Each structure stands twice: as structure tokens, then as C-alpha cells.
Amino acid sequence: MALLDHDALLAGRADEAVRRVPGGLGAVWYRGWMIPAEAYADLDTALAGRGARLPTSPDQYRSAHELPRW
């Protein structure tokens, strides 16, 4: 388990938000408050830089959580 800084993520500082995530985790799941699709995409990029990946792509996240795509 790793924690991320939700406030930093929503403020547009995704690299800061994931600074406590250990490198090389592989697949990780975001379990937290709903976040805008742009923040999710930033999170995906920041995690990839640390060797972690979200199983739901930013496009899939956007399609599932924003109207009218669902």
C-alpha cells in the first residue's frame, strides 16, 4: 500500500502527490475520492514515472465517469 497526496494531485502537482509511492510497484489501484479526468491522467503519468501503472487508462476513466460517454 502507498499513499498519495490528494490535495497536491488536485492542485496540479501530480509528481509531488506520488512522492511517497515506492518505485517499481507495477499495477496499482487508486482508491479515493473521485477526481477530474485530467487529474487522473496526470496521476497515471506520474505513477508511470515511478514504475507503477493504473489498470484503468485515462480514456477508460473519462468514459466511465463523465457524461455523455457512459
Side-chain angles (χ1 to χ4, degrees):
M1 178 167 57
L3 297 175
L4 63 89
D5 184 335
H6 185 263
D7 293 336
L9 180 62
L10 291 183
R13 302 186 315 267
D15 288 333
E16 179 184 335
V18 300
R19 73 175 185 263
R20 291 185 279 174
V21 176
L25 286 180
V28 296
W29 287 261
Y30 172 73
R31 292 188 61 199
W33 296 102
M34 292 293 298
I35 57 176
E38 294 80 15
Y40 186 88
D42 292 343
L43 175 61
D44 184 63
T45 300
L47 287 171
R50 299 187 70 79
R53 61 179 171 72
L54 294 164
T56 303
S57 74
D59 286 337
Q60 291 169 325
Y61 182 87
R62 183 181 300 275
S63 293
H65 294 291
E66 292 184 357
L67 289 171
R69 298 181 194 178
W70 68 291

PDB file of all heavy atoms in Angstrom, residues 15-42:
ATOM      1  N   ASP A  15       3.419  14.995  -9.601  1.00  0.00           N
ATOM      2  CA  ASP A  15       4.709  14.435  -9.186  1.00  0.00           C
ATOM      3  C   ASP A  15       4.899  14.537  -7.676  1.00  0.00           C
ATOM      4  O   ASP A  15       5.423  13.615  -7.045  1.00  0.00           O
ATOM      5  CB  ASP A  15       5.861  15.129  -9.911  1.00  0.00           C
ATOM      6  CG  ASP A  15       5.930  14.748 -11.379  1.00  0.00           C
ATOM      7  OD1 ASP A  15       5.474  13.639 -11.730  1.00  0.00           O
ATOM      8  OD2 ASP A  15       6.437  15.546 -12.180  1.00  0.00           O
ATOM      9  N   GLU A  16       4.466  15.635  -7.106  1.00  0.00           N
ATOM     10  CA  GLU A  16       4.527  15.796  -5.653  1.00  0.00           C
ATOM     11  C   GLU A  16       3.542  14.843  -4.972  1.00  0.00           C
ATOM     12  O   GLU A  16       3.842  14.273  -3.922  1.00  0.00           O
ATOM     13  CB  GLU A  16       4.203  17.242  -5.272  1.00  0.00           C
ATOM     14  CG  GLU A  16       4.211  17.513  -3.786  1.00  0.00           C
ATOM     15  CD  GLU A  16       3.793  18.939  -3.455  1.00  0.00           C
ATOM     16  OE1 GLU A  16       3.950  19.838  -4.299  1.00  0.00           O
ATOM     17  OE2 GLU A  16       3.294  19.143  -2.327  1.00  0.00           O
ATOM     18  N   ALA A  17       2.399  14.657  -5.588  1.00  0.00           N
ATOM     19  CA  ALA A  17       1.361  13.802  -4.999  1.00  0.00           C
ATOM     20  C   ALA A  17       1.816  12.359  -4.833  1.00  0.00           C
ATOM     21  O   ALA A  17       1.396  11.678  -3.893  1.00  0.00           O
ATOM     22  CB  ALA A  17       0.092  13.851  -5.848  1.00  0.00           C
ATOM     23  N   VAL A  18       2.680  11.885  -5.722  1.00  0.00           N
ATOM     24  CA  VAL A  18       3.102  10.484  -5.680  1.00  0.00           C
ATOM     25  C   VAL A  18       4.493  10.305  -5.077  1.00  0.00           C
ATOM     26  O   VAL A  18       5.051   9.207  -5.140  1.00  0.00           O
ATOM     27  CB  VAL A  18       3.044   9.827  -7.087  1.00  0.00           C
ATOM     28  CG1 VAL A  18       1.638   9.876  -7.639  1.00  0.00           C
ATOM     29  CG2 VAL A  18       4.028  10.458  -8.040  1.00  0.00           C
ATOM     30  N   ARG A  19       5.042  11.312  -4.452  1.00  0.00           N
ATOM     31  CA  ARG A  19       6.422  11.219  -3.961  1.00  0.00           C
ATOM     32  C   ARG A  19       6.618  10.111  -2.929  1.00  0.00           C
ATOM     33  O   ARG A  19       7.717   9.604  -2.770  1.00  0.00           O
ATOM     34  CB  ARG A  19       6.895  12.561  -3.423  1.00  0.00           C
ATOM     35  CG  ARG A  19       6.294  12.946  -2.100  1.00  0.00           C
ATOM     36  CD  ARG A  19       6.910  14.252  -1.565  1.00  0.00           C
ATOM     37  NE  ARG A  19       6.409  14.527  -0.243  1.00  0.00           N
ATOM     38  CZ  ARG A  19       5.405  15.346   0.013  1.00  0.00           C
ATOM     39  NH1 ARG A  19       4.832  15.998  -0.975  1.00  0.00           N
ATOM     40  NH2 ARG A  19       4.988  15.534   1.235  1.00  0.00           N
ATOM     41  N   ARG A  20       5.564   9.705  -2.214  1.00  0.00           N
ATOM     42  CA  ARG A  20       5.692   8.630  -1.216  1.00  0.00           C
ATOM     43  C   ARG A  20       5.405   7.249  -1.784  1.00  0.00           C
ATOM     44  O   ARG A  20       5.481   6.261  -1.076  1.00  0.00           O
ATOM     45  CB  ARG A  20       4.764   8.907  -0.039  1.00  0.00           C
ATOM     46  CG  ARG A  20       5.206  10.109   0.782  1.00  0.00           C
ATOM     47  CD  ARG A  20       4.342  10.290   1.990  1.00  0.00           C
ATOM     48  NE  ARG A  20       3.123  10.985   1.576  1.00  0.00           N
ATOM     49  CZ  ARG A  20       2.096  11.217   2.356  1.00  0.00           C
ATOM     50  NH1 ARG A  20       2.087  10.792   3.596  1.00  0.00           N
ATOM     51  NH2 ARG A  20       1.044  11.855   1.901  1.00  0.00           N
ATOM     52  N   VAL A  21       5.089   7.179  -3.068  1.00  0.00           N
ATOM     53  CA  VAL A  21       4.831   5.884  -3.707  1.00  0.00           C
ATOM     54  C   VAL A  21       6.176   5.245  -4.048  1.00  0.00           C
ATOM     55  O   VAL A  21       6.964   5.831  -4.775  1.00  0.00           O
ATOM     56  CB  VAL A  21       3.974   6.058  -4.986  1.00  0.00           C
ATOM     57  CG1 VAL A  21       3.795   4.733  -5.702  1.00  0.00           C
ATOM     58  CG2 VAL A  21       2.622   6.688  -4.652  1.00  0.00           C
ATOM     59  N   PRO A  22       6.438   4.052  -3.513  1.00  0.00           N
ATOM     60  CA  PRO A  22       7.712   3.396  -3.830  1.00  0.00           C
ATOM     61  C   PRO A  22       7.825   3.097  -5.323  1.00  0.00           C
ATOM     62  O   PRO A  22       6.826   2.841  -5.996  1.00  0.00           O
ATOM     63  CB  PRO A  22       7.660   2.090  -3.033  1.00  0.00           C
ATOM     64  CG  PRO A  22       6.569   2.262  -2.042  1.00  0.00           C
ATOM     65  CD  PRO A  22       5.620   3.270  -2.608  1.00  0.00           C
ATOM     66  N   GLY A  23       9.032   3.112  -5.831  1.00  0.00           N
ATOM     67  CA  GLY A  23       9.254   2.809  -7.243  1.00  0.00           C
ATOM     68  C   GLY A  23       9.053   1.329  -7.541  1.00  0.00           C
ATOM     69  O   GLY A  23       9.244   0.470  -6.685  1.00  0.00           O
ATOM     70  N   GLY A  24       8.634   1.057  -8.770  1.00  0.00           N
ATOM     71  CA  GLY A  24       8.548  -0.312  -9.257  1.00  0.00           C
ATOM     72  C   GLY A  24       7.417  -1.154  -8.707  1.00  0.00           C
ATOM     73  O   GLY A  24       7.535  -2.381  -8.667  1.00  0.00           O
ATOM     74  N   LEU A  25       6.331  -0.551  -8.310  1.00  0.00           N
ATOM     75  CA  LEU A  25       5.220  -1.325  -7.742  1.00  0.00           C
ATOM     76  C   LEU A  25       4.461  -2.149  -8.780  1.00  0.00           C
ATOM     77  O   LEU A  25       3.774  -3.093  -8.435  1.00  0.00           O
ATOM     78  CB  LEU A  25       4.228  -0.411  -7.025  1.00  0.00           C
ATOM     79  CG  LEU A  25       4.653   0.142  -5.678  1.00  0.00           C
ATOM     80  CD1 LEU A  25       3.557   1.035  -5.110  1.00  0.00           C
ATOM     81  CD2 LEU A  25       4.966  -0.974  -4.710  1.00  0.00           C
ATOM     82  N   GLY A  26       4.531  -1.764 -10.032  1.00  0.00           N
ATOM     83  CA  GLY A  26       3.732  -2.459 -11.050  1.00  0.00           C
ATOM     84  C   GLY A  26       2.309  -1.938 -11.024  1.00  0.00           C
ATOM     85  O   GLY A  26       2.074  -0.744 -10.912  1.00  0.00           O
ATOM     86  N   ALA A  27       1.340  -2.842 -11.094  1.00  0.00           N
ATOM     87  CA  ALA A  27      -0.076  -2.433 -11.115  1.00  0.00           C
ATOM     88  C   ALA A  27      -0.498  -1.897  -9.749  1.00  0.00           C
ATOM     89  O   ALA A  27      -0.227  -2.510  -8.718  1.00  0.00           O
ATOM     90  CB  ALA A  27      -0.956  -3.607 -11.507  1.00  0.00           C
ATOM     91  N   VAL A  28      -1.141  -0.731  -9.772  1.00  0.00           N
ATOM     92  CA  VAL A  28      -1.675  -0.120  -8.555  1.00  0.00           C
ATOM     93  C   VAL A  28      -3.102   0.333  -8.820  1.00  0.00           C
ATOM     94  O   VAL A  28      -3.497   0.568  -9.956  1.00  0.00           O
ATOM     95  CB  VAL A  28      -0.815   1.084  -8.086  1.00  0.00           C
ATOM     96  CG1 VAL A  28       0.579   0.645  -7.686  1.00  0.00           C
ATOM     97  CG2 VAL A  28      -0.746   2.160  -9.141  1.00  0.00           C
ATOM     98  N   TRP A  29      -3.885   0.439  -7.770  1.00  0.00           N
ATOM     99  CA  TRP A  29      -5.269   0.880  -7.885  1.00  0.00           C
ATOM    100  C   TRP A  29      -5.434   2.151  -7.084  1.00  0.00           C
ATOM    101  O   TRP A  29      -4.961   2.248  -5.953  1.00  0.00           O
ATOM    102  CB  TRP A  29      -6.222  -0.181  -7.341  1.00  0.00           C
ATOM    103  CG  TRP A  29      -6.324  -1.349  -8.242  1.00  0.00           C
ATOM    104  CD1 TRP A  29      -7.309  -1.603  -9.152  1.00  0.00           C
ATOM    105  CD2 TRP A  29      -5.401  -2.424  -8.364  1.00  0.00           C
ATOM    106  NE1 TRP A  29      -7.046  -2.763  -9.823  1.00  0.00           N
ATOM    107  CE2 TRP A  29      -5.876  -3.293  -9.360  1.00  0.00           C
ATOM    108  CE3 TRP A  29      -4.198  -2.750  -7.741  1.00  0.00           C
ATOM    109  CZ2 TRP A  29      -5.206  -4.439  -9.732  1.00  0.00           C
ATOM    110  CZ3 TRP A  29      -3.532  -3.887  -8.116  1.00  0.00           C
ATOM    111  CH2 TRP A  29      -4.043  -4.718  -9.099  1.00  0.00           C
ATOM    112  N   TYR A  30      -6.113   3.124  -7.666  1.00  0.00           N
ATOM    113  CA  TYR A  30      -6.436   4.354  -6.952  1.00  0.00           C
ATOM    114  C   TYR A  30      -7.737   4.113  -6.203  1.00  0.00           C
ATOM    115  O   TYR A  30      -8.767   3.807  -6.813  1.00  0.00           O
ATOM    116  CB  TYR A  30      -6.593   5.532  -7.925  1.00  0.00           C
ATOM    117  CG  TYR A  30      -7.128   6.767  -7.231  1.00  0.00           C
ATOM    118  CD1 TYR A  30      -6.322   7.494  -6.367  1.00  0.00           C
ATOM    119  CD2 TYR A  30      -8.441   7.176  -7.412  1.00  0.00           C
ATOM    120  CE1 TYR A  30      -6.807   8.602  -5.700  1.00  0.00           C
ATOM    121  CE2 TYR A  30      -8.940   8.285  -6.753  1.00  0.00           C
ATOM    122  CZ  TYR A  30      -8.121   8.994  -5.897  1.00  0.00           C
ATOM    123  OH  TYR A  30      -8.605  10.083  -5.226  1.00  0.00           O
ATOM    124  N   ARG A  31      -7.691   4.218  -4.895  1.00  0.00           N
ATOM    125  CA  ARG A  31      -8.889   4.108  -4.067  1.00  0.00           C
ATOM    126  C   ARG A  31      -8.996   5.398  -3.279  1.00  0.00           C
ATOM    127  O   ARG A  31      -8.263   5.617  -2.325  1.00  0.00           O
ATOM    128  CB  ARG A  31      -8.784   2.917  -3.117  1.00  0.00           C
ATOM    129  CG  ARG A  31      -8.818   1.588  -3.845  1.00  0.00           C
ATOM    130  CD  ARG A  31      -8.910   0.438  -2.904  1.00  0.00           C
ATOM    131  NE  ARG A  31     -10.137   0.547  -2.137  1.00  0.00           N
ATOM    132  CZ  ARG A  31     -10.344  -0.096  -0.995  1.00  0.00           C
ATOM    133  NH1 ARG A  31      -9.424  -0.882  -0.496  1.00  0.00           N
ATOM    134  NH2 ARG A  31     -11.472   0.047  -0.340  1.00  0.00           N
ATOM    135  N   GLY A  32      -9.875   6.245  -3.708  1.00  0.00           N
ATOM    136  CA  GLY A  32     -10.025   7.523  -3.036  1.00  0.00           C
ATOM    137  C   GLY A  32     -11.201   8.283  -3.616  1.00  0.00           C
ATOM    138  O   GLY A  32     -12.029   7.720  -4.329  1.00  0.00           O
ATOM    139  N   TRP A  33     -11.265   9.555  -3.285  1.00  0.00           N
ATOM    140  CA  TRP A  33     -12.331  10.407  -3.786  1.00  0.00           C
ATOM    141  C   TRP A  33     -12.271  10.483  -5.299  1.00  0.00           C
ATOM    142  O   TRP A  33     -11.221  10.362  -5.907  1.00  0.00           O
ATOM    143  CB  TRP A  33     -12.186  11.818  -3.208  1.00  0.00           C
ATOM    144  CG  TRP A  33     -12.353  11.868  -1.731  1.00  0.00           C
ATOM    145  CD1 TRP A  33     -11.363  11.971  -0.800  1.00  0.00           C
ATOM    146  CD2 TRP A  33     -13.581  11.804  -1.007  1.00  0.00           C
ATOM    147  NE1 TRP A  33     -11.897  11.979   0.456  1.00  0.00           N
ATOM    148  CE2 TRP A  33     -13.260  11.880   0.367  1.00  0.00           C
ATOM    149  CE3 TRP A  33     -14.916  11.698  -1.376  1.00  0.00           C
ATOM    150  CZ2 TRP A  33     -14.234  11.852   1.359  1.00  0.00           C
ATOM    151  CZ3 TRP A  33     -15.883  11.669  -0.385  1.00  0.00           C
ATOM    152  CH2 TRP A  33     -15.543  11.751   0.957  1.00  0.00           C
ATOM    153  N   MET A  34     -13.434  10.716  -5.898  1.00  0.00           N
ATOM    154  CA  MET A  34     -13.485  10.934  -7.353  1.00  0.00           C
ATOM    155  C   MET A  34     -12.634  12.154  -7.680  1.00  0.00           C
ATOM    156  O   MET A  34     -12.641  13.143  -6.963  1.00  0.00           O
ATOM    157  CB  MET A  34     -14.927  11.189  -7.807  1.00  0.00           C
ATOM    158  CG  MET A  34     -15.832   9.989  -7.674  1.00  0.00           C
ATOM    159  SD  MET A  34     -15.387   8.674  -8.797  1.00  0.00           S
ATOM    160  CE  MET A  34     -15.634   9.470 -10.361  1.00  0.00           C
ATOM    161  N   ILE A  35     -11.909  12.045  -8.775  1.00  0.00           N
ATOM    162  CA  ILE A  35     -11.063  13.148  -9.212  1.00  0.00           C
ATOM    163  C   ILE A  35     -11.398  13.458 -10.671  1.00  0.00           C
ATOM    164  O   ILE A  35     -11.892  12.590 -11.398  1.00  0.00           O
ATOM    165  CB  ILE A  35      -9.565  12.822  -9.044  1.00  0.00           C
ATOM    166  CG1 ILE A  35      -9.176  11.554  -9.810  1.00  0.00           C
ATOM    167  CG2 ILE A  35      -9.207  12.691  -7.569  1.00  0.00           C
ATOM    168  CD1 ILE A  35      -7.698  11.223  -9.765  1.00  0.00           C
ATOM    169  N   PRO A  36     -11.156  14.688 -11.103  1.00  0.00           N
ATOM    170  CA  PRO A  36     -11.406  15.025 -12.505  1.00  0.00           C
ATOM    171  C   PRO A  36     -10.546  14.153 -13.426  1.00  0.00           C
ATOM    172  O   PRO A  36      -9.454  13.706 -13.050  1.00  0.00           O
ATOM    173  CB  PRO A  36     -10.989  16.493 -12.610  1.00  0.00           C
ATOM    174  CG  PRO A  36     -10.998  17.013 -11.211  1.00  0.00           C
ATOM    175  CD  PRO A  36     -10.675  15.842 -10.337  1.00  0.00           C
ATOM    176  N   ALA A  37     -11.031  13.952 -14.636  1.00  0.00           N
ATOM    177  CA  ALA A  37     -10.329  13.100 -15.597  1.00  0.00           C
ATOM    178  C   ALA A  37      -8.917  13.622 -15.883  1.00  0.00           C
ATOM    179  O   ALA A  37      -7.990  12.833 -16.067  1.00  0.00           O
ATOM    180  CB  ALA A  37     -11.134  12.982 -16.883  1.00  0.00           C
ATOM    181  N   GLU A  38      -8.750  14.933 -15.914  1.00  0.00           N
ATOM    182  CA  GLU A  38      -7.423  15.496 -16.163  1.00  0.00           C
ATOM    183  C   GLU A  38      -6.457  15.139 -15.039  1.00  0.00           C
ATOM    184  O   GLU A  38      -5.287  14.831 -15.281  1.00  0.00           O
ATOM    185  CB  GLU A  38      -7.490  17.020 -16.325  1.00  0.00           C
ATOM    186  CG  GLU A  38      -8.238  17.476 -17.560  1.00  0.00           C
ATOM    187  CD  GLU A  38      -9.761  17.455 -17.373  1.00  0.00           C
ATOM    188  OE1 GLU A  38     -10.261  17.370 -16.222  1.00  0.00           O
ATOM    189  OE2 GLU A  38     -10.455  17.488 -18.398  1.00  0.00           O
ATOM    190  N   ALA A  39      -6.938  15.183 -13.802  1.00  0.00           N
ATOM    191  CA  ALA A  39      -6.099  14.818 -12.658  1.00  0.00           C
ATOM    192  C   ALA A  39      -5.758  13.330 -12.702  1.00  0.00           C
ATOM    193  O   ALA A  39      -4.638  12.930 -12.369  1.00  0.00           O
ATOM    194  CB  ALA A  39      -6.792  15.164 -11.344  1.00  0.00           C
ATOM    195  N   TYR A  40      -6.708  12.503 -13.129  1.00  0.00           N
ATOM    196  CA  TYR A  40      -6.441  11.066 -13.259  1.00  0.00           C
ATOM    197  C   TYR A  40      -5.360  10.820 -14.309  1.00  0.00           C
ATOM    198  O   TYR A  40      -4.456  10.005 -14.099  1.00  0.00           O
ATOM    199  CB  TYR A  40      -7.722  10.316 -13.612  1.00  0.00           C
ATOM    200  CG  TYR A  40      -7.550   8.811 -13.609  1.00  0.00           C
ATOM    201  CD1 TYR A  40      -7.730   8.083 -12.435  1.00  0.00           C
ATOM    202  CD2 TYR A  40      -7.201   8.118 -14.765  1.00  0.00           C
ATOM    203  CE1 TYR A  40      -7.573   6.703 -12.421  1.00  0.00           C
ATOM    204  CE2 TYR A  40      -7.030   6.748 -14.765  1.00  0.00           C
ATOM    205  CZ  TYR A  40      -7.224   6.051 -13.584  1.00  0.00           C
ATOM    206  OH  TYR A  40      -7.054   4.687 -13.573  1.00  0.00           O
ATOM    207  N   ALA A  41      -5.425  11.532 -15.421  1.00  0.00           N
ATOM    208  CA  ALA A  41      -4.406  11.392 -16.465  1.00  0.00           C
ATOM    209  C   ALA A  41      -3.040  11.823 -15.943  1.00  0.00           C
ATOM    210  O   ALA A  41      -2.022  11.162 -16.212  1.00  0.00           O
ATOM    211  CB  ALA A  41      -4.793  12.200 -17.701  1.00  0.00           C
ATOM    212  N   ASP A  42      -3.001  12.911 -15.178  1.00  0.00           N
ATOM    213  CA  ASP A  42      -1.741  13.366 -14.581  1.00  0.00           C
ATOM    214  C   ASP A  42      -1.212  12.327 -13.592  1.00  0.00           C
ATOM    215  O   ASP A  42      -0.007  12.070 -13.529  1.00  0.00           O
ATOM    216  CB  ASP A  42      -1.922  14.704 -13.871  1.00  0.00           C
ATOM    217  CG  ASP A  42      -2.203  15.849 -14.818  1.00  0.00           C
ATOM    218  OD1 ASP A  42      -1.952  15.699 -16.040  1.00  0.00           O
ATOM    219  OD2 ASP A  42      -2.682  16.895 -14.342  1.00  0.00           O
TER     220      ASP A  42
END
